[in-house]
Amino acid sequence: MAGKALSAIVGSGVSALVRKYDQAADLYAAQAIDRALGDAGLEPAQVDGMLINRSPGARDHEFTLAMQNRMGYRRLRLVAEVDGEGSSAIQMIHYASLAIGAGMASRVVCVFADTPLKPNMKGADAFGMSLPILDFDGWERVSGLYGPVGTFALFASYHMARYGIGVEQLASVAISDRQWAMLNPDAKLRAPMDLQAYLRSPVIASPLRMFDCAYPVNGAAAIVVSSVDALAADQTAGMRKVAYVHGLGQGHSTDPFSQAAADEPSGAQMSARSAYAMAGVDARQIDCREFYEAFSYSNLYALEEYGFCERGQSGALVASGALAPGGSMPTNTGGGHLSCHYLQGMTPIVEAVTQVRGLAGSRQQRAELVLATGIGSFLQHHACVLLSPHRTL
Amino acid sequence: MLGHPVYSPWRGVQNVEAAKPFVNALRQGRFVLQVCDDCERTATPARLRCEYCRSVRLVWRRAKGSGRIIAVTCYALQYDHEYERKVPYDVVLVQLDNGAMLFGAIDARLDQRDVGRRVKLELERSSKGMPLRFRFDGNKDPQ
């Protein structure tokens, strides 16, 4: 099957994004779906599948399978909620593509919504929940390890100590993202940022500062995945350019620090190998990288585990400016989670689709092959997708 | 986050059944971990099957709480104002000598240069409510 597209992403939509709680998650989701269908040039009646991904940051009752009823989709052939933590958005594209390949559906809407900001809450508190390391959730919290930020601070500390890098390399990730965001009118943080500005941002959990952390928003994003056959009919009706889905990968490890893990491929490596093999490509052929990077450290991790450099070399790579505009490895070209917005897996996938469709304006890069990734939990759950404007690679 | 006037180490722990042997032992001043009766490897708590050989014969055994700091973070943001530790406070990730990884509090101001230092669990303190608290083991010798 290598070479031939599994499916095509024909539309993407992002709702209004706000920094306060003003409405329920499903209202944002509905707006994102409307925008994605409008972008695709499709009518709601043409949708025959819907996958939803509710962030743990959204209230349970605000965004459920009732979305089908809320949207008035009377007849669907595929409905499910997907939960793979931060890898969920990419996983939705996997399951939509597989269902389409099996003939279960032809046009599947994949929608994510989040409302991490609740009434009377600051952005800094939006992700004050803890990430499980031990198998009894909550032990982290009672140990003082609040928020994913603390866990990722430990990852960053581990990496820095092991490979001898400093905060300047973390800063390079944040600065690179900001430089891309300055080219993206949809990005939330666009003020110029240099090393001094980075160092002025407050430490949250050392070594991570505020500018090492994702920028939480309330909102939603939706992607429309179509069968290639349905696309042929739709395109005659004037549909815009599409992003063909060529490689899917997942990898799920237990803990990344154990002695056993040293001898085994990481979940991210498994994810990369699967997708690259499916598409018949290797990392060197990838033009743009859209990484899930809730924290700056995640980019160092992804560069190494997805095969763009050897382990321990990512710090030098980001410090060289390779990831930034004009660099040899354009990465998080919309500003990423740190400067564009944090819609979990949807932030990287929306930018990947935008680049592949040639709709990225002044930040448009060569985008013959683009990688988007997702990371869930304690570097445990990984998913990726490879997109191209070409139906056959 | 609200409505808990008394700090309890149980607060927020969701899989209480899995945590019970671990926490009950800590309360009695003992530190236990799951060891596989078949392959003898130590698990990250709390597994139902051995992650190395998939054996069901995981048993809680008294363990040494000594190991090496592999990562350190210092909190500057107070997420929970009812939490008994006030910023700045440190959390360390420790690779125990038996291979298991644990994190916990440490009553010292640390920085990156402390990665690699040997620590051991301080059990009297942890039995009084602090889940896991480490202290430096031996003199200043980092390696």
Side-chain angles (χ1 to χ4, degrees):
Chain A
M1 278 296 285
K4 202 150 174 274
L6 298 150
S7 63
I9 294 174
V10 298
S12 71
V14 177
S15 72
L17 303 176
V18 300
R19 287 277 285 177
K20 62 180 180 189
Y21 184 89
D22 63 354
Q23 61 178 14
D26 58 351
L27 299 180
Y28 285 111
Q31 188 180 44
I33 292 171
D34 289 345
R35 289 180 177 180
L37 290 176
D39 180 46
L42 291 173
E43 296 298 326
Q46 294 177 276
V47 171
D48 60 4
M50 183 172 66
L51 298 176
I52 76 165
N53 167 211
R54 180 182 63 83
S55 164
R59 289 174 167 138
D60 293 3
H61 63 275
E62 285 189 3
F63 187 43
T64 68
L65 291 181
M67 200 64 203
Q68 178 189 356
N69 304 346
R70 300 273 277 155
M71 294 301 290
Y73 291 144
R74 295 177 59 82
R75 295 279 183 275
L76 293 181
R77 303 167 67 201
L78 179 79
V79 173
E81 184 169 349
V82 172
D83 181 10
E85 300 270 354
S87 69
S88 308
I90 306 261
Q91 287 198 27
M92 287 197 290
I93 293 170
H94 293 176
Y95 303 133
S97 298
L98 297 174
I100 285 166
M104 288 181 68
S106 59
R107 296 178 198 89
V108 180
V109 166
C110 303
V111 59
F112 164 87
D114 198 4
T115 52
L117 291 125
K118 301 296 187 301
N120 306 314
M121 184 189 276
K122 290 182 296 185
D125 293 325
F127 284 91
M129 75 265 283
S130 62
L131 276 184
I133 300 175
L134 304 188
D135 290 349
F136 23 99
D137 285 7
W139 189 258
E140 292 73 20
R141 190 174 190 122
V142 300
S143 301
L145 200 57
Y146 284 83
V149 64
T151 303
F152 276 82
L154 289 171
F155 286 137
S157 165
Y158 175 79
H159 187 95
M160 290 164 74
R162 182 164 187 185
Y163 298 114
I165 68 164
V167 293
E168 297 80 8
Q169 281 78 15
L170 293 177
S172 296
V173 174
I175 292 167
S176 171
D177 272 18
R178 185 61 61 88
Q179 288 172 345
W180 285 113
M182 290 167 68
L183 301 172
N184 179 6
D186 295 328
K188 288 294 182 187
L189 297 177
R190 303 185 68 204
M193 178 169 71
D194 58 11
L195 180 61
Q196 284 68 39
Y198 167 86
L199 291 172
R200 277 196 300 273
S201 76
V203 173
I204 306 295
S206 69
L208 300 181
R209 295 171 179 275
M210 186 179 76
F211 284 159
D212 289 301
C213 300
Y215 187 77
V217 291
N218 285 10
I223 290 283
V224 186
V225 184
S226 168
S227 81
V228 174
D229 293 337
L231 177 64
D234 294 337
Q235 271 187 320
T236 58
M239 183 183 273
R240 293 211 283 177
K241 282 176 283 190
V242 306
Y244 287 97
V245 176
H246 280 280
L248 318 175
Q250 290 185 27
H252 306 271
S253 56
T254 52
D255 77 76
F257 287 109
S258 76
Q259 289 167 352
D263 308 321
E264 295 170 347
S266 67
Q269 285 177 329
M270 293 166 64
S271 164
R273 288 174 192 179
S274 169
Y276 297 172
M278 198 181 291
V281 301
D282 65 45
R284 287 167 299 185
Q285 293 169 258
I286 293 167
D287 295 314
C288 299
R289 286 137 288 272
E290 310 297 346
F291 291 142
Y292 190 108
E293 53 155 3
F295 303 97
S296 56
Y297 164 73
S298 317
N299 262 12
L300 302 181
Y301 178 84
L303 286 167
E304 296 178 6
E305 303 303 302
Y306 277 89
F308 298 103
C309 63
E310 295 295 315
R311 279 185 177 165
Q313 298 302 307
S314 59
L317 188 60
V318 296
S320 75
L323 279 58
S328 60
M329 283 193 186
T331 299
N332 293 348
T333 52
H337 283 152
L338 306 188
S339 284
C340 186
H341 48 58
Y342 184 53
L343 287 175
Q344 301 191 14
M346 280 296 183
T347 300
I349 194 74
V350 166
E351 176 63 14
V353 168
T354 303
Q355 286 285 346
V356 167
R357 296 170 83 196
L359 304 175
S362 63
R363 69 184 190 284
Q364 181 65 47
Q365 299 294 299
R366 177 188 155 90
E368 300 291 295
L369 187 64
V370 175
L371 170 70
T373 71
I375 299 178
S377 192
F378 180 47
L379 294 180
Q380 178 166 3
H381 305 295
H382 297 271
C384 75
V385 63
L386 284 166
L387 304 179
S388 168
H390 305 294
R391 183 172 171 176
T392 304
L393 286 183
Chain B
M1 256 166 111
L2 301 173
H4 294 274
V6 179
Y7 180 80
S8 155
W10 288 103
R11 197 184 91 195
V13 176
Q14 288 168 24
N15 195 355
V16 170
E17 281 303 313
K20 249 179 187 165
F22 186 75
V23 176
N24 285 344
L26 283 180
R27 284 178 165 170
Q28 293 159 21
R30 289 183 300 119
F31 175 57
V32 297
L33 284 174
Q34 286 174 302
V35 178
C36 176
D37 236 358
D38 285 319
C39 77
E40 293 294 318
R41 296 176 86 162
T42 304
T44 302
R47 300 285 191 251
L48 294 170
R49 300 287 184 275
C50 173
E51 65 185 293
Y52 304 105
C53 75
R54 279 74 180 181
S55 166
V56 69
R57 303 203 312 150
L58 286 174
V59 290
W60 291 94
R61 283 194 200 148
R62 196 160 189 161
K64 279 190 180 172
S66 56
R68 197 177 286 284
I69 295 176
I70 62 169
V72 54
T73 184
C74 176
Y75 273 78
L77 179 71
Q78 192 82 33
Y79 274 99
D80 180 351
H81 293 278
E82 293 174 15
Y83 184 51
E84 63 175 13
R85 299 170 79 199
K86 302 302 170 200
V87 297
Y89 66 85
D90 294 79
V91 177
V92 288
L93 188 66
V94 173
Q95 182 104 52
L96 297 176
D97 294 336
N98 57 29
M101 182 189 62
L102 280 175
F103 52 87
I106 187 163
D107 274 337
R109 296 309 321 282
L110 306 189
D111 62 30
Q112 273 292 112
R113 288 167 297 188
D114 293 302
V115 174
R117 290 184 69 176
R118 291 199 58 81
V119 289
K120 64 179 181 186
L121 276 173
E122 193 176 51
L123 283 173
E124 302 94 307
R125 297 289 301 277
S126 59
S127 64
K128 286 178 187 162
M130 183 62 71
L132 292 172
R133 188 184 292 269
F134 290 94
R135 64 177 164 82
F136 288 119
D137 188 7
N139 293 326
K140 286 192 170 179
D141 170 31
Q143 297 299 327

